[in-house]
Amino acid sequence: MASSNTPIPVDDGFNEYESAVKRQKSTTSKVWDEMTKLECENKNELKAQCNHCKTIFSAKSSNGTSHLRRHLNSCLKKVNKDITQYTIATQPSPEGVPSIKNYKFDADECRKAISTFLVCGKHSFRTVEEPGFRYMMRIASLNFKNISRYTAARDVLMYYAKERDRVKEELAKAPGLICLTSDNWNSEHTNYEYICVTAHWVDKDWKLQKRIIRFRALFPLYDGLNIADELVLCLSQWGIDKKIFSITLDNASYNDVMVSCLKNHFRANRAILCDGAFFQVRCCAHILNLIVKAGLKLADDVVGKIRNGIRYIRKSGIRRKRFYDVADKSFHLNVTKKLRQDVCVRWNSTYLMLESSLYYKDVLDYWGQRDKDYQIFALSNEEWRNVAILCKFLKVFYDVTYFVEIILSNLRLLFDEYVKKSKSTSSSLAGSSNVSNKNPIDSGLDEHNDSSADFGGYFDESDDYKRYLNESSTRSEKSQLDIYLEEPELELNSQIDVLDYWGKSSVRYNELSLLARDLLAIPISTKVITPLRSSLKPKTVQAVVCLDDWMRAKGFSAEIGCKKDDDDDEDDDVSSVVFYDTFFLNV
C-alpha cells in the first residue's frame, strides 16, 4: 500500500502531459553534436554512437559524457568530413561553379516532422516501423535513426505539450472575449465518453480563429454537474475563465443543468454579461438535424438505394470514368459537377447527394438498364418523384442554415453592456492619470470664466452660444448602434468580408466594433464528431486531436498542399467532416 507521502498521479487532462516533456531531457553537452543516442531493448540501458567511426559507447547519465569527449578528441575518422552533412547549394558561386553547402542533420526537427506527418496524415504509429517508411527515411538521410511506435507516441505527447503552451499564449492575447462550443461523443470501440471543447475568437487582425482545447474522456456519471466541473477546470487551466462570452450546445437535457452551474460560477466571479442572458446559444444545426432526420426516416429505403448506388459507381476508377464519359457524350451534362457521397450523420451532405443524383437521373437510369450489378439500386419513376419532393423539402432547411436573425431589443441591451464596460475602462484610466473627465469645450469655458472674474467679471456673449451648442449636441447625440442601423443597407449578395469591415470601422464605431468582434466569434453549431475508430488511450487521443487542429490552424495543410486530381473534388464534402479514421495501436 502506498504511503501518505506518495504523490497522487496527475490525470486532469492538462498537467498529465508534463511527464512527456520531462522525459525529453536536455542534452546540452556539445558531444551530442557528434554523437547519436541509440534505443536499446533494455529501457534502462542507453547507448551512444560516434557519428564518425560508428563506435558504440555506454551513455548512462550516471557515467557522464567525459569518455565520449575523450573519444571524439582522438577519433581517427573525425578528420574526414562527413559527406552526408553537405548538400549541393541551389545557387552557384560567384564564379559560376556549383558550391558545397554545409548542412547539419537535426534529429529533433526530423522527429518533430515525423510527429506532424503521423498526426496530420492520421497515420498509425506503427507506420514508423514499416520497412517502406524506414527505407524512405534512410534514403533521405543516412543519419536518421529508426524509432519505435512507442517512441513516436511519446514524441507526439511531447509535441502536443509544447504546442499547447503556444496556443495558451494566443488565447491570452485575444483582444476580445472567447466563445465556446462543447459536444459529447461516445466511442463504440472503447465505450469512452469524450467531451470536445473548442474556443472561437477574433484576433487583433480581425481574423476568426478556432482551436480545440479539450478532447478528453469523461468518467461516470455523465451528468450536467460533472460536465460543468470539467468545463470549469478546463477554462481555469487555459487561463480563460474570465474571458468567456457564450457557449454553443446541443439540446441534450443535461446541458441545461450544466449551463445553470456555469452561470452561477461566472456570476460569483463577475465574469458574465447581462446576467447570462446571452451565455447559452442553442445549436441551430442540432435543431434542424432533428427535424430533417424525422423527414428522412420516411424515405430510408430510397435514400439507401441512392447512397449504395453512388458508392458502387465511385468504388471503381474505371467504372467512374465510364459513367462520366456517358454523361458527357451521350447526355451532354457538365461533368465537373460530380456525384456526391454523403456522410449519414450529416443531413446536409445527404441533401447534396440527392441533388447530385437528380442531376444525373437520366444517366443513372441508363446505367441501371446496362449494368446488372447496379440494377438493385435503380429507382422507379415513383421513387424518383419522391426524391424530387424530398430534395425540395431539404433545400428549405439547407438554405435556412445560412441566415441568422438578431432581435433588435436584445442587441441594444447587449450594446449597453459594452458601453458601460468601455466607460468604466476609460474612467479608471483617466483617474489613474489624473485627467479630467470634462468635455474639452466645458474645460475651455471654465478656464475663460475664471480668468474673466479676475478682470472685473468681463463676459463674452459668444460664450452663451458655445454653451448652447454643447448642450444641444449632448441632447441630440445618438448611440453608435443607432447611427450604424441608419446606414444604407448593403446588397444581400454583395461580396464583403464582415470581419474586415468591422476592423476598418473600429475607429468610427469604437464600442460597437468590440461587440461585433465578440458576436461574430459565436458559432451557431457544435462540431459534429463522426466515429473515431481508435483503441488509443484517452490521453493520446486528446493530444492527437488537438495537435492536428492546431497544425491546420497554422496553415500546415495549405503550406504543403498539392494540386488535386479532377476526381478528388467530389470528395470535398466527405473529407471535411470525416474525423480520425484509423489509429490501431493501443499505447
Side-chain angles (χ1 to χ4, degrees), residues 222-243:
Y222 308 127
D223 58 13
L225 290 173
N226 285 329
I227 295 175
D229 289 341
E230 179 72 19
L231 273 170
V232 169
L233 175 63
C234 170
L235 300 180
S236 175
Q237 290 169 337
W238 283 93
I240 57 175
D241 48 330
K242 294 185 178 180
K243 296 185 68 173

PDB file of all heavy atoms in Angstrom, residues 222-243:
ATOM      1  N   TYR A 222     -22.142  10.859 -16.265  1.00  0.00           N
ATOM      2  CA  TYR A 222     -22.126  11.843 -17.329  1.00  0.00           C
ATOM      3  C   TYR A 222     -23.313  12.795 -17.181  1.00  0.00           C
ATOM      4  O   TYR A 222     -24.193  12.868 -18.044  1.00  0.00           O
ATOM      5  CB  TYR A 222     -22.193  11.141 -18.689  1.00  0.00           C
ATOM      6  CG  TYR A 222     -21.156  10.062 -18.860  1.00  0.00           C
ATOM      7  CD1 TYR A 222     -21.526   8.777 -19.247  1.00  0.00           C
ATOM      8  CD2 TYR A 222     -19.810  10.316 -18.646  1.00  0.00           C
ATOM      9  CE1 TYR A 222     -20.581   7.775 -19.421  1.00  0.00           C
ATOM     10  CE2 TYR A 222     -18.851   9.323 -18.805  1.00  0.00           C
ATOM     11  CZ  TYR A 222     -19.252   8.049 -19.191  1.00  0.00           C
ATOM     12  OH  TYR A 222     -18.311   7.077 -19.351  1.00  0.00           O
ATOM     13  N   ASP A 223     -23.364  13.513 -16.070  1.00  0.00           N
ATOM     14  CA  ASP A 223     -24.484  14.424 -15.853  1.00  0.00           C
ATOM     15  C   ASP A 223     -24.013  15.872 -15.946  1.00  0.00           C
ATOM     16  O   ASP A 223     -22.823  16.160 -16.102  1.00  0.00           O
ATOM     17  CB  ASP A 223     -25.145  14.154 -14.497  1.00  0.00           C
ATOM     18  CG  ASP A 223     -24.162  14.294 -13.326  1.00  0.00           C
ATOM     19  OD1 ASP A 223     -23.049  14.833 -13.534  1.00  0.00           O
ATOM     20  OD2 ASP A 223     -24.510  13.858 -12.220  1.00  0.00           O
ATOM     21  N   GLY A 224     -24.978  16.793 -15.850  1.00  0.00           N
ATOM     22  CA  GLY A 224     -24.672  18.209 -16.022  1.00  0.00           C
ATOM     23  C   GLY A 224     -23.694  18.751 -14.998  1.00  0.00           C
ATOM     24  O   GLY A 224     -22.847  19.587 -15.314  1.00  0.00           O
ATOM     25  N   LEU A 225     -23.776  18.278 -13.756  1.00  0.00           N
ATOM     26  CA  LEU A 225     -22.892  18.770 -12.694  1.00  0.00           C
ATOM     27  C   LEU A 225     -21.440  18.411 -12.972  1.00  0.00           C
ATOM     28  O   LEU A 225     -20.536  19.254 -12.875  1.00  0.00           O
ATOM     29  CB  LEU A 225     -23.323  18.190 -11.338  1.00  0.00           C
ATOM     30  CG  LEU A 225     -24.639  18.699 -10.763  1.00  0.00           C
ATOM     31  CD1 LEU A 225     -25.016  17.915  -9.499  1.00  0.00           C
ATOM     32  CD2 LEU A 225     -24.536  20.191 -10.428  1.00  0.00           C
ATOM     33  N   ASN A 226     -21.197  17.151 -13.345  1.00  0.00           N
ATOM     34  CA  ASN A 226     -19.830  16.703 -13.597  1.00  0.00           C
ATOM     35  C   ASN A 226     -19.244  17.356 -14.847  1.00  0.00           C
ATOM     36  O   ASN A 226     -18.061  17.699 -14.889  1.00  0.00           O
ATOM     37  CB  ASN A 226     -19.781  15.181 -13.737  1.00  0.00           C
ATOM     38  CG  ASN A 226     -19.911  14.479 -12.395  1.00  0.00           C
ATOM     39  OD1 ASN A 226     -19.481  15.006 -11.373  1.00  0.00           O
ATOM     40  ND2 ASN A 226     -20.508  13.308 -12.384  1.00  0.00           N
ATOM     41  N   ILE A 227     -20.076  17.516 -15.874  1.00  0.00           N
ATOM     42  CA  ILE A 227     -19.589  18.151 -17.107  1.00  0.00           C
ATOM     43  C   ILE A 227     -19.292  19.626 -16.848  1.00  0.00           C
ATOM     44  O   ILE A 227     -18.319  20.181 -17.380  1.00  0.00           O
ATOM     45  CB  ILE A 227     -20.618  17.976 -18.237  1.00  0.00           C
ATOM     46  CG1 ILE A 227     -20.752  16.495 -18.589  1.00  0.00           C
ATOM     47  CG2 ILE A 227     -20.192  18.763 -19.480  1.00  0.00           C
ATOM     48  CD1 ILE A 227     -21.817  16.191 -19.612  1.00  0.00           C
ATOM     49  N   ALA A 228     -20.108  20.281 -16.008  1.00  0.00           N
ATOM     50  CA  ALA A 228     -19.832  21.674 -15.642  1.00  0.00           C
ATOM     51  C   ALA A 228     -18.494  21.780 -14.919  1.00  0.00           C
ATOM     52  O   ALA A 228     -17.691  22.683 -15.180  1.00  0.00           O
ATOM     53  CB  ALA A 228     -20.957  22.228 -14.775  1.00  0.00           C
ATOM     54  N   ASP A 229     -18.231  20.841 -13.992  1.00  0.00           N
ATOM     55  CA  ASP A 229     -16.948  20.833 -13.281  1.00  0.00           C
ATOM     56  C   ASP A 229     -15.789  20.648 -14.253  1.00  0.00           C
ATOM     57  O   ASP A 229     -14.730  21.268 -14.110  1.00  0.00           O
ATOM     58  CB  ASP A 229     -16.929  19.716 -12.234  1.00  0.00           C
ATOM     59  CG  ASP A 229     -17.843  19.999 -11.044  1.00  0.00           C
ATOM     60  OD1 ASP A 229     -18.195  21.188 -10.859  1.00  0.00           O
ATOM     61  OD2 ASP A 229     -18.202  19.058 -10.326  1.00  0.00           O
ATOM     62  N   GLU A 230     -15.992  19.778 -15.237  1.00  0.00           N
ATOM     63  CA  GLU A 230     -14.945  19.539 -16.240  1.00  0.00           C
ATOM     64  C   GLU A 230     -14.651  20.803 -17.038  1.00  0.00           C
ATOM     65  O   GLU A 230     -13.490  21.134 -17.312  1.00  0.00           O
ATOM     66  CB  GLU A 230     -15.391  18.406 -17.171  1.00  0.00           C
ATOM     67  CG  GLU A 230     -14.404  18.066 -18.275  1.00  0.00           C
ATOM     68  CD  GLU A 230     -13.169  17.344 -17.758  1.00  0.00           C
ATOM     69  OE1 GLU A 230     -13.216  16.785 -16.644  1.00  0.00           O
ATOM     70  OE2 GLU A 230     -12.151  17.337 -18.469  1.00  0.00           O
ATOM     71  N   LEU A 231     -15.696  21.522 -17.410  1.00  0.00           N
ATOM     72  CA  LEU A 231     -15.512  22.758 -18.179  1.00  0.00           C
ATOM     73  C   LEU A 231     -14.846  23.849 -17.347  1.00  0.00           C
ATOM     74  O   LEU A 231     -13.963  24.565 -17.836  1.00  0.00           O
ATOM     75  CB  LEU A 231     -16.862  23.257 -18.703  1.00  0.00           C
ATOM     76  CG  LEU A 231     -17.305  22.683 -20.046  1.00  0.00           C
ATOM     77  CD1 LEU A 231     -18.747  23.071 -20.332  1.00  0.00           C
ATOM     78  CD2 LEU A 231     -16.404  23.165 -21.165  1.00  0.00           C
ATOM     79  N   VAL A 232     -15.261  23.989 -16.092  1.00  0.00           N
ATOM     80  CA  VAL A 232     -14.648  24.983 -15.214  1.00  0.00           C
ATOM     81  C   VAL A 232     -13.162  24.695 -15.057  1.00  0.00           C
ATOM     82  O   VAL A 232     -12.320  25.601 -15.108  1.00  0.00           O
ATOM     83  CB  VAL A 232     -15.350  25.000 -13.833  1.00  0.00           C
ATOM     84  CG1 VAL A 232     -14.534  25.825 -12.839  1.00  0.00           C
ATOM     85  CG2 VAL A 232     -16.749  25.572 -13.967  1.00  0.00           C
ATOM     86  N   LEU A 233     -12.818  23.422 -14.860  1.00  0.00           N
ATOM     87  CA  LEU A 233     -11.406  23.029 -14.743  1.00  0.00           C
ATOM     88  C   LEU A 233     -10.645  23.352 -16.018  1.00  0.00           C
ATOM     89  O   LEU A 233      -9.542  23.911 -15.981  1.00  0.00           O
ATOM     90  CB  LEU A 233     -11.315  21.534 -14.429  1.00  0.00           C
ATOM     91  CG  LEU A 233      -9.899  20.926 -14.391  1.00  0.00           C
ATOM     92  CD1 LEU A 233      -9.079  21.552 -13.279  1.00  0.00           C
ATOM     93  CD2 LEU A 233      -9.973  19.418 -14.238  1.00  0.00           C
ATOM     94  N   CYS A 234     -11.243  23.026 -17.148  1.00  0.00           N
ATOM     95  CA  CYS A 234     -10.610  23.282 -18.448  1.00  0.00           C
ATOM     96  C   CYS A 234     -10.328  24.771 -18.649  1.00  0.00           C
ATOM     97  O   CYS A 234      -9.216  25.166 -19.013  1.00  0.00           O
ATOM     98  CB  CYS A 234     -11.497  22.745 -19.569  1.00  0.00           C
ATOM     99  SG  CYS A 234     -10.996  23.230 -21.240  1.00  0.00           S
ATOM    100  N   LEU A 235     -11.328  25.613 -18.409  1.00  0.00           N
ATOM    101  CA  LEU A 235     -11.174  27.055 -18.629  1.00  0.00           C
ATOM    102  C   LEU A 235     -10.144  27.648 -17.679  1.00  0.00           C
ATOM    103  O   LEU A 235      -9.386  28.554 -18.046  1.00  0.00           O
ATOM    104  CB  LEU A 235     -12.524  27.753 -18.450  1.00  0.00           C
ATOM    105  CG  LEU A 235     -13.642  27.307 -19.392  1.00  0.00           C
ATOM    106  CD1 LEU A 235     -14.927  28.074 -19.105  1.00  0.00           C
ATOM    107  CD2 LEU A 235     -13.237  27.489 -20.850  1.00  0.00           C
ATOM    108  N   SER A 236     -10.111  27.135 -16.455  1.00  0.00           N
ATOM    109  CA  SER A 236      -9.127  27.612 -15.486  1.00  0.00           C
ATOM    110  C   SER A 236      -7.715  27.238 -15.919  1.00  0.00           C
ATOM    111  O   SER A 236      -6.784  28.041 -15.834  1.00  0.00           O
ATOM    112  CB  SER A 236      -9.438  27.028 -14.103  1.00  0.00           C
ATOM    113  OG  SER A 236      -8.443  27.382 -13.174  1.00  0.00           O
ATOM    114  N   GLN A 237      -7.546  26.011 -16.403  1.00  0.00           N
ATOM    115  CA  GLN A 237      -6.223  25.558 -16.851  1.00  0.00           C
ATOM    116  C   GLN A 237      -5.707  26.369 -18.030  1.00  0.00           C
ATOM    117  O   GLN A 237      -4.502  26.638 -18.132  1.00  0.00           O
ATOM    118  CB  GLN A 237      -6.288  24.071 -17.223  1.00  0.00           C
ATOM    119  CG  GLN A 237      -6.463  23.144 -16.037  1.00  0.00           C
ATOM    120  CD  GLN A 237      -6.788  21.733 -16.458  1.00  0.00           C
ATOM    121  OE1 GLN A 237      -7.294  21.478 -17.548  1.00  0.00           O
ATOM    122  NE2 GLN A 237      -6.492  20.773 -15.582  1.00  0.00           N
ATOM    123  N   TRP A 238      -6.609  26.762 -18.900  1.00  0.00           N
ATOM    124  CA  TRP A 238      -6.212  27.556 -20.072  1.00  0.00           C
ATOM    125  C   TRP A 238      -6.153  29.047 -19.758  1.00  0.00           C
ATOM    126  O   TRP A 238      -5.752  29.843 -20.622  1.00  0.00           O
ATOM    127  CB  TRP A 238      -7.185  27.308 -21.229  1.00  0.00           C
ATOM    128  CG  TRP A 238      -6.943  26.000 -21.910  1.00  0.00           C
ATOM    129  CD1 TRP A 238      -7.543  24.807 -21.643  1.00  0.00           C
ATOM    130  CD2 TRP A 238      -6.027  25.749 -22.972  1.00  0.00           C
ATOM    131  NE1 TRP A 238      -7.058  23.830 -22.465  1.00  0.00           N
ATOM    132  CE2 TRP A 238      -6.135  24.382 -23.305  1.00  0.00           C
ATOM    133  CE3 TRP A 238      -5.131  26.541 -23.689  1.00  0.00           C
ATOM    134  CZ2 TRP A 238      -5.363  23.791 -24.310  1.00  0.00           C
ATOM    135  CZ3 TRP A 238      -4.375  25.956 -24.699  1.00  0.00           C
ATOM    136  CH2 TRP A 238      -4.494  24.600 -24.993  1.00  0.00           C
ATOM    137  N   GLY A 239      -6.571  29.449 -18.545  1.00  0.00           N
ATOM    138  CA  GLY A 239      -6.487  30.846 -18.150  1.00  0.00           C
ATOM    139  C   GLY A 239      -7.498  31.754 -18.831  1.00  0.00           C
ATOM    140  O   GLY A 239      -7.257  32.945 -19.013  1.00  0.00           O
ATOM    141  N   ILE A 240      -8.652  31.197 -19.235  1.00  0.00           N
ATOM    142  CA  ILE A 240      -9.654  31.996 -19.948  1.00  0.00           C
ATOM    143  C   ILE A 240     -10.995  31.999 -19.220  1.00  0.00           C
ATOM    144  O   ILE A 240     -12.033  32.322 -19.817  1.00  0.00           O
ATOM    145  CB  ILE A 240      -9.852  31.478 -21.391  1.00  0.00           C
ATOM    146  CG1 ILE A 240     -10.264  29.991 -21.395  1.00  0.00           C
ATOM    147  CG2 ILE A 240      -8.592  31.681 -22.222  1.00  0.00           C
ATOM    148  CD1 ILE A 240     -10.600  29.445 -22.772  1.00  0.00           C
ATOM    149  N   ASP A 241     -10.997  31.648 -17.931  1.00  0.00           N
ATOM    150  CA  ASP A 241     -12.254  31.534 -17.198  1.00  0.00           C
ATOM    151  C   ASP A 241     -12.939  32.878 -16.982  1.00  0.00           C
ATOM    152  O   ASP A 241     -14.120  32.918 -16.616  1.00  0.00           O
ATOM    153  CB  ASP A 241     -12.037  30.833 -15.853  1.00  0.00           C
ATOM    154  CG  ASP A 241     -10.861  31.395 -15.083  1.00  0.00           C
ATOM    155  OD1 ASP A 241      -9.901  31.865 -15.720  1.00  0.00           O
ATOM    156  OD2 ASP A 241     -10.888  31.368 -13.844  1.00  0.00           O
ATOM    157  N   LYS A 242     -12.232  33.987 -17.224  1.00  0.00           N
ATOM    158  CA  LYS A 242     -12.849  35.306 -17.101  1.00  0.00           C
ATOM    159  C   LYS A 242     -12.967  36.016 -18.445  1.00  0.00           C
ATOM    160  O   LYS A 242     -13.155  37.218 -18.512  1.00  0.00           O
ATOM    161  CB  LYS A 242     -12.046  36.168 -16.124  1.00  0.00           C
ATOM    162  CG  LYS A 242     -12.082  35.643 -14.695  1.00  0.00           C
ATOM    163  CD  LYS A 242     -11.378  36.575 -13.722  1.00  0.00           C
ATOM    164  CE  LYS A 242     -11.478  36.025 -12.296  1.00  0.00           C
ATOM    165  NZ  LYS A 242     -10.797  36.906 -11.317  1.00  0.00           N
ATOM    166  N   LYS A 243     -12.871  35.236 -19.521  1.00  0.00           N
ATOM    167  CA  LYS A 243     -12.933  35.827 -20.868  1.00  0.00           C
ATOM    168  C   LYS A 243     -13.998  35.162 -21.740  1.00  0.00           C
ATOM    169  O   LYS A 243     -13.946  35.249 -22.959  1.00  0.00           O
ATOM    170  CB  LYS A 243     -11.567  35.696 -21.563  1.00  0.00           C
ATOM    171  CG  LYS A 243     -10.439  36.466 -20.908  1.00  0.00           C
ATOM    172  CD  LYS A 243      -9.152  36.371 -21.720  1.00  0.00           C
ATOM    173  CE  LYS A 243      -9.273  37.095 -23.046  1.00  0.00           C
ATOM    174  NZ  LYS A 243      -7.977  37.155 -23.761  1.00  0.00           N
TER     175      LYS A 243
END
